[in-house]
């Protein structure tokens, strides 16, 4: 419409310099008035129809892309179609109420419908405009599907996702346009919002995306479609893995330090005592004191047995750590069972 609005201005300038070329002059109520010929009248009407057709094409595209705004868009369409059809039909003399002419009457009808569409449905409020601006500039990819899983909208960030073609066609099945993504997104369809991590459809890529799937429902509960929000969380997941590995490494070091203290404080002392008892028994045997040597050997055997029990206990502690992915209750049951067996 904007590209065609300059034409009336050029025509008025042309008439101002060469009025006789397209119109005749007459005096009405003391003023000189230019009366256009039938050719001029129909020329203006053709221009009016061209502007209307361009506007209708835009409105019908909006009607397909934005089902939630069907009511106000239909009002805008009626506001354009009725004057276009009605202007050449009625007799201007019969409908003219000086100084209001036929064109002004139809223009008033159009303005009333536009007023209802724009203000009653709150199209011009700041919230929808802000919401659209945020969606257009956010770094997360957005795909909007209708109930038939056809693509009805997407944002700029979605075009930069891996394996997304340079041009996406609206109203076509999303399975035909982004088949690699659809194999992963289809599993998240449902009546409840869900969020899950998926890998990039590119085989060689190591990207990880957090996908949030939101069903689009009317107030009555009827499902109109589905919205998918895709966020690249590769760096975040790698940072989490690095943090987990660091925590495991720290836990391993702490466990080694604890084991070293246990060995130094208990097992080393017990082995030293065993060595002392063995030397004492050897000396008693050398002196011929067999009975005392046997007593020391008995103490030696008891200390060795206790050391063996302590070593097995430490090994059992190491083996009874909670395995990865095991819940706390399951680990307790397994520990009790192993203790009973021991």
């Amino acid at each position: 419409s904007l590209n065609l609005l300059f034409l009336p201005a050029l025509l008025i300038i042309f008439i101002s310099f060469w009025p006789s070329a397209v119109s005749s002059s007459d005096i009405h109520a003391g003023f000189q008035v230019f009366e256009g010929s039938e050719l001029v009248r129909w020329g203006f009407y053709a221009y009016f129809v061209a502007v209307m057709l361009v506007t209708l094409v835009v409105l019908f595209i909006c009607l397909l892309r934005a089902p939630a705004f069907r009511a106000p868009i239909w009002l805008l369409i009626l506001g354009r179609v009725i004057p276009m059809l009605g202007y050449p039909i009625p007799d201007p003399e019969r409908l003219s109420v000086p100084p209001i002419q036929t064109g002004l009457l139809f223009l008033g009808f159009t303005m009333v419908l536009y007023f209802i569409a724009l203000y009653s449905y709150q199209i011009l409020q700041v919230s929808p405009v802000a919401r659209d601006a945020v969606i257009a500039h956010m770094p997360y990819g957005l795909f909007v599907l209708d109930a038939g899983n056809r693509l009805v909208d997407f944002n700029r960030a979605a075009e930069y996702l891996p394996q997304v073609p340079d041009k996406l066609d609206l109203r076509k099945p999303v399975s035909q346009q982004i088949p690699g993504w659809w194999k992963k997104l289809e599993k998240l369809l449902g009546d409840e919002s869900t969020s899950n991590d998926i890998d990039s459809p590119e085989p060689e890529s190591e990207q990880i995306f957090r996908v949030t799937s939101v069903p689009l429902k009317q107030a009555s509960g009827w499902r109109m479609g589905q919205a998918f929000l895709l966020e690249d969380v590769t760096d975040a997941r790698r940072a989490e893995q690095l943090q987990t590995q660091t925590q495991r490494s720290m836990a391993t070091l702490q466990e080694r330090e604890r084991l070293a203290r246990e060995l130094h404080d208990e097992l080393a002392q017990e082995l030293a005592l065993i060595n002392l008892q063995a030397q004492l028994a050897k000396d008693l045997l050398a002196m011929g004191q067999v009975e005392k040597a046997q007593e020391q050997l008995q103490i030696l055997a008891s200390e060795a047995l206790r050391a063996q029990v302590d070593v097995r206990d430490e090994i059992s502690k190491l083996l009874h750590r909670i395995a990865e992915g095991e819940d706390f209750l399951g680990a307790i049951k397994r520990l009790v069972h192993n203790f009973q067996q021991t």
Side-chain angles (χ1 to χ4, degrees):
S1 297
L2 292 176
N3 292 331
L4 296 174
L5 287 181
F6 75 97
L7 293 179
L10 293 179
L11 185 58
I12 291 174
I13 294 174
F14 178 77
I15 294 175
S16 300
F17 284 98
W18 296 282
S20 60
V22 294
S23 63
S24 61
S25 176
D26 198 357
I27 303 297
H28 292 272
F31 293 95
Q32 185 180 16
V33 178
F34 292 105
E35 296 179 349
S37 62
E38 284 294 315
L39 178 63
V40 174
R41 178 173 178 266
W42 285 106
F44 269 103
Y45 182 71
Y47 159 79
F48 177 75
V49 171
V51 174
M52 293 302 102
L53 290 177
V54 172
T55 307
L56 290 177
V57 170
V58 174
L59 289 174
F60 274 110
I61 292 175
C62 294
L63 188 66
L64 296 176
R65 292 190 60 180
F69 293 96
R70 283 175 179 170
I73 291 176
W74 275 116
L75 287 176
L76 297 179
I77 292 175
L78 289 176
R80 306 302 263 174
V81 171
I82 292 179
M84 183 173 63
L85 298 178
Y87 182 77
I89 297 176
D91 183 6
E93 296 294 334
R94 189 172 54 188
L95 286 181
S96 297
V97 181
I100 301 176
Q101 301 301 318
T102 308
L104 295 179
L105 288 176
F106 282 117
L107 180 63
F109 178 80
T110 300
M111 292 299 103
V112 169
L113 291 181
Y114 267 57
F115 179 84
I116 296 174
L118 297 179
Y119 291 97
S120 298
Y121 290 90
Q122 303 177 352
I123 292 179
L124 298 182
Q125 279 194 352
V126 68
S127 296
V129 177
R131 186 179 299 111
D132 292 341
V134 170
I135 291 175
H137 292 86
M138 67 183 183
Y140 314 129
L142 176 67
F143 293 108
V144 181
L145 314 181
D146 61 9
N149 296 327
R150 292 180 293 268
L151 185 65
V152 295
D153 200 5
F154 57 92
N155 67 345
R156 187 180 307 169
E159 297 179 290
Y160 296 99
L161 293 172
Q163 287 197 349
V164 173
D166 296 335
K167 184 178 180 181
L168 292 172
D169 296 328
L170 298 177
R171 309 303 301 175
K172 288 187 177 181
V174 68
S175 59
Q176 298 178 5
Q177 303 193 65
I178 48 174
W181 282 106
W182 181 240
K183 291 179 181 179
K184 300 176 180 292
L185 298 179
E186 186 179 13
K187 302 176 182 179
L188 302 179
L189 288 174
D191 295 331
E192 300 294 335
S193 299
T194 182
S195 184
N196 198 7
D197 286 356
I198 65 173
D199 297 329
S200 171
E202 286 188 349
E204 299 178 356
S205 176
E206 297 181 356
Q207 287 180 283
I208 302 175
F209 291 87
R210 186 69 174 176
V211 180
T212 301
S213 175
V214 181
L216 305 178
K217 298 181 180 180
Q218 288 187 338
S220 61
W222 178 68
R223 179 179 173 273
M224 300 174 56
Q226 200 84 6
F228 294 99
L229 185 65
L230 292 84
E231 177 186 2
D232 189 351
V233 294
T234 305
D235 294 339
R237 295 296 179 264
R238 288 176 179 175
E240 292 175 359
Q241 293 177 359
L242 181 60
Q243 183 179 9
T244 302
Q245 293 175 358
T246 303
Q247 291 176 348
R248 289 180 178 176
S249 299
M250 291 298 298
T252 301
L253 292 175
Q254 293 175 358
E255 185 65 21
R256 289 178 179 178
E257 292 177 358
R258 187 197 66 81
L259 182 59
R261 289 194 301 269
E262 293 288 340
L263 293 176
H264 179 270
D265 295 341
E266 297 181 7
L267 185 59
Q269 294 181 9
E270 292 175 351
L271 292 177
L273 180 58
I274 291 173
N275 181 54
L276 181 61
Q277 294 293 338
Q279 292 293 337
L280 182 57
K282 179 181 178 182
D283 295 338
L284 291 174
L285 288 174
M287 291 184 295
Q289 300 179 10
V290 179
E291 294 182 0
K292 291 184 178 182
Q294 290 179 348
E295 293 177 1
Q296 294 301 323
L297 289 174
Q298 185 65 35
I299 297 175
L300 176 62
S302 299
E303 292 297 333
L305 179 60
R306 187 170 68 176
Q308 181 184 7
V309 172
D310 292 341
V311 171
R312 291 182 60 184
D313 182 58
E314 291 298 329
I315 295 176
S316 177
K317 290 179 181 179
L318 295 175
L319 294 177
H320 291 163
R321 299 298 177 193
I322 297 179
E324 183 177 359
E326 184 179 15
D327 62 335
F328 181 73
L329 184 59
I332 290 295
K333 291 181 178 179
R334 180 170 53 82
L335 181 60
V336 171
H337 176 75
N338 293 338
F339 180 77
Q340 289 176 341
Q341 296 295 324
T342 304

